[in-house]
Amino acid sequence: MASYNFADGIYTIWKAPNKETLEKIMEDFPVFKKGIVEVVQSYPPTTEYIVRMWEMILAFAQK
């Protein structure tokens, strides 16, 4: 989705259904597989982020 150049290297943002799927795709591109970190928030917040937050809040409320 995006790529950013920093002094420490290049950071890219990918959209995938889950981390495991992205890791599987990246097996063919080891340069991108250096470190995959899930991003759970973006600005402005996406619909997926809002829904995920409500799911977490409801899950904590049930405990």
Side-chain angles (χ1 to χ4, degrees):
M1 294 181 66
S3 181
Y4 302 94
N5 293 317
F6 292 94
D8 297 325
I10 297 172
Y11 296 87
T12 57
I13 299 173
W14 301 81
K15 184 174 183 179
N18 55 50
K19 184 177 178 180
E20 293 77 22
T21 301
L22 188 57
E23 288 174 338
K24 181 71 176 163
I25 292 168
M26 291 300 149
E27 287 177 359
D28 295 331
F29 306 98
V31 69
F32 290 118
K33 198 176 176 185
K34 189 172 183 180
I36 297 175
V37 177
E38 182 180 5
V39 176
V40 295
Q41 181 179 3
S42 62
Y43 187 83
T46 62
T47 303
E48 292 84 2
Y49 173 75
I50 300 296
V51 169
R52 186 172 184 173
M53 290 303 297
W54 275 108
E55 288 173 346
M56 288 174 41
I57 290 167
L58 292 173
F60 287 129
Q62 293 174 0
K63 290 184 179 183

